[in-house]
Amino acid sequence: MGTNIDREQFTASDMKRFTTRLHESLAVLHELLDQPDFGRGAPSLGAELETYIADDAGRVLPLNQRLIDEMQDPQVQLELNRFNIEYNLTPLPLAGAPFAALERQLEAALSRLQDAATPHGGHIVPIGILPSLTRADLGAHAMTELPRYRALERRLKELRGEDFSVEIHGQDSIALTSSHVALEGANTSFQLHLRVDPDRFADTFNTAQLVTPLVLALGANSPLFLQRRLWDETRIALFKQSVDDRQRGNGAWRRPSRVAFGQGWVRRGAWELFAETVALHPPLLPVLGDLAPGTWQPGDPAPALRELRLHMGTVWPWNRAVYDPADGGHLRIEMRALPAGPTPRDMAANSALLLGLVLGLRDDIEARLSAIPCRHAEYNFYRAAQHGLEARLLWPHRRHHRLEEIPLATLLEELLPHARAGLIAGGVTPADADAFLAVSEARLAARTSGATWQRGMLAAFEAGGLSRAAACQRVLERYCAEAATRRPVADWSTEA
């Protein structure tokens, strides 16, 4: 959840000064984006991997601070809950063989984390939600001891005015409340970053919005929460509800959720998304940077815009615009919807499919968008999260200007050639593109995802007489054993 801060309490004056700087930042960013050479450069990708830390019995281990202290690795970061940890991978050029390199980085990251966890009896588990997680794991004691997290929780609760509530219906149902945001820490993700030239940002972002449901369904890996069978990608509903800061039933207009699909298609460029975030969401962490944004002048190095970047980090759309002052200043799209796991090869394959579809469909995205209002793309997103590969999506007809409902798996099969063409056009070698798209093709052919594998194994263990709790523990044991083989999930055994 972003940059560390050293304060927990803020005043109305802090909020006012911070808001002033946000609007100054927007003005500076607008001027910066108008510069013809700003942010241009070869496309690159980066990634962040969040994982669980668990013990031999499948119970969570609150070890993240200890591992951070012992590893002394700047690429390793704390996460919201003590049993989560994050590894920030080194950015890679898109040209060449980026997905093989990404797989190697993921393998190395997991190996480093595991080496650090082993002396403490810990296991590093890349998975969307740990199957054996219990309600007792998610109290106030679970939260990492950082001022940032305490301040975030306090401010979210102030805005909401009541406890957070979660209600999700799937094969089973769950309804619970919490006075803490620790429920959000049940989610671990694999977040992908793509550097984008400003003049291609709108088309690229809109395409990412359109195709994210497809990859989300194929990559789903979070079917269980507190041992209930919910959505294929339960993280989508859980994250949104567990940090919802909106008041209910007060008669006033209701702001959009801080965790949202989006408010509409981007019309011109990235600035719209930054301005929209400032307009719709009150600040949570009003910490001022050393320099006021208004001191920046054209010709100066790229401004930090610290307040704007901090504010953007407290709003969590599934695809998010990122401004980074590094490398002369540039823009990225952070794609946040995919879960962690099951294996480095699966995650690299998800990345290849997502980026390939974005690049392969981007050039004619305007024609597609005119036939699908954004609310229908949002509908697709939630249906994909709920039903996975069994979902049916609304999609623009290839020849006629209308929508049609298509089985998601059928649609993916039709679009795979576009993904390959997009990767090749982006400079990816045919061998790299083919190797990782083949992983997705195999998963699609078998109608298998991490979610379907977990559901199948749970059913098999329960059919063998195990209780739900014992079956969830066995699912995790088998998951870890299969992941250790490094084979992608489509090749995992389904024998109980």
Side-chain angles (χ1 to χ4, degrees):
M1 278 197 173
T3 306
N4 287 335
I5 63 170
D6 58 5
R7 295 178 57 192
E8 297 181 42
Q9 303 281 357
F10 303 101
T11 65
S13 178
D14 292 327
M15 293 289 179
K16 184 176 181 180
R17 289 197 299 269
F18 188 83
T19 300
T20 297
R21 285 204 178 182
L22 283 179
H23 288 283
E24 291 175 0
S25 296
L26 288 176
V28 170
L29 182 61
H30 196 284
E31 187 172 3
L32 193 63
L33 292 175
D34 277 344
Q35 297 184 350
D37 58 347
F38 171 77
R40 295 190 177 276
S44 60
L45 62 94
E48 306 165 47
L49 173 62
E50 301 165 356
T51 76
Y52 271 87
I53 312 167
D55 65 14
D56 289 334
R59 297 301 305 273
V60 295
L61 273 180
L63 286 179
N64 63 0
Q65 185 65 66
R66 181 175 295 182
L67 299 188
I68 291 277
D69 293 341
E70 293 176 356
M71 293 179 73
Q72 292 295 303
D73 185 338
Q75 291 179 274
V76 184
Q77 303 291 328
L78 293 169
E79 270 296 315
L80 176 64
N81 283 351
R82 296 172 185 233
F83 50 76
N84 301 139
I85 198 163
E86 176 180 286
Y87 203 103
N88 295 312
L89 279 65
T90 303
L92 297 161
L94 183 63
F99 304 110
L102 180 61
E103 181 184 24
R104 289 193 296 270
Q105 280 202 42
L106 287 164
E107 289 175 345
L110 289 170
S111 178
R112 289 212 63 199
L113 290 169
Q114 185 58 58
D115 287 347
T118 295
H120 306 288
H123 300 275
I124 300 299
V125 187
I127 193 169
I129 299 176
L130 200 73
S132 53
L133 195 69
T134 70
R135 184 66 181 88
D137 297 326
L138 295 172
H141 63 282
M143 287 181 57
T144 299
E145 279 293 319
L146 283 181
R148 176 185 179 90
Y149 297 137
R150 293 193 294 268
L152 268 173
E153 178 178 84
R154 179 179 290 110
R155 181 66 176 138
L156 288 168
K157 289 165 67 175
E158 286 174 358
L159 291 169
R160 182 172 174 84
E162 62 182 3
D163 285 351
F164 303 99
S165 61
V166 168
E167 183 173 353
I168 308 173
H169 301 284
Q171 197 172 354
D172 302 319
S173 295
I174 194 167
L176 66 157
T177 62
S178 176
S179 58
H180 305 285
V181 296
L183 292 177
E184 191 282 318
N187 304 304
T188 54
S189 65
F190 175 66
Q191 299 161 18
L192 192 64
H193 291 246
L194 175 66
R195 176 172 172 161
V196 182
D197 283 355
D199 61 354
R200 298 306 311 270
F201 188 92
D203 286 345
T204 309
F205 188 88
N206 288 336
T207 311
Q209 292 281 82
L210 183 65
V211 304
T212 290
L214 304 173
V215 188
L216 177 66
L218 188 62
N221 197 31
S222 313
L224 300 168
F225 175 55
L226 301 187
Q227 301 173 13
R228 269 73 158 198
R229 300 162 298 178
L230 301 172
W231 292 12
D232 264 27
E233 196 45 58
T234 303
R235 291 171 42 257
I236 300 305
L238 179 58
F239 192 2
K240 180 176 182 177
Q241 297 179 41
S242 62
V243 293
D244 193 350
D245 65 338
R246 300 172 297 171
Q247 294 183 356
R248 296 184 294 177
N250 63 359
W253 76 285
R254 200 169 188 224
R255 289 181 289 104
S257 171
R258 296 184 97 94
V259 181
F261 179 77
Q263 312 311 318
W265 300 121
V266 177
R267 295 163 295 181
R268 296 184 60 188
W271 188 86
E272 298 170 32
L273 295 173
F274 293 95
E276 177 183 274
T277 300
V278 171
L280 292 178
H281 300 288
L284 298 183
L285 304 174
V287 179
L288 300 182
D290 295 334
L291 292 176
T295 61
W296 178 84
Q297 297 293 326
D300 291 347
L305 302 185
R306 186 179 187 274
E307 293 84 4
L308 182 60
R309 291 163 59 213
L310 180 59
H311 184 60
M312 294 296 291
T314 63
V315 181
W316 305 284
W318 295 109
N319 289 315
R320 180 164 64 184
V322 175
Y323 163 77
D324 192 331
D327 193 25
H330 65 275
L331 297 174
R332 298 197 302 273
I333 297 171
E334 181 185 15
M335 304 172 201
R336 305 171 42 80
L338 296 177
T343 67
R345 176 146 286 233
D346 285 306
M347 289 183 279
N350 291 339
S351 304
L353 180 60
L354 180 53
L355 295 184
L357 289 173
V358 169
L359 299 175
L361 300 180
R362 178 176 63 178
D363 286 346
D364 65 345
I365 191 63
E366 282 293 331
R368 295 176 186 271
L369 297 191
S370 64
I372 180 166
C374 189
R375 68 179 182 274
H376 293 317
E378 181 178 25
Y379 168 90
N380 286 345
F381 180 76
Y382 287 106
R383 296 298 77 73
Q386 189 171 9
H387 301 297
L389 287 167
E390 298 301 315
R392 296 179 64 89
L393 303 189
L394 298 171
W395 198 257
H397 193 278
R398 285 177 293 177
R399 291 183 299 276
H400 307 295
H401 195 71
R402 61 177 173 81
L403 288 177
E404 57 182 342
E405 189 177 58
I406 304 176
L408 184 146
T410 300
L411 184 57
L412 259 178
E413 289 169 346
E414 294 176 357
L415 292 176
L416 274 168
H418 292 275
R420 184 181 190 277
L423 292 178
I424 302 303
V428 178
T429 65
D432 199 51
D434 291 341
F436 287 91
L437 289 178
V439 177
S440 292
E441 289 175 328
R443 228 187 291 164
L444 188 57
R447 296 297 191 265
T448 296
S449 65
T452 62
W453 185 90
Q454 289 184 57
R455 285 183 187 275
M457 294 308 301
L458 180 70
F461 288 133
E462 287 190 314
L466 292 181
S467 68
R468 175 62 59 82
C472 285
Q473 184 177 345
R474 287 290 301 278
V475 169
L476 178 59
E477 290 173 359
R478 283 290 301 276
Y479 180 99
C480 292
E482 293 287 348
T485 69
R486 299 186 178 182
R487 297 193 312 257
V489 69
D491 295 337
W492 288 9
S493 171
T494 56
E495 297 293 325

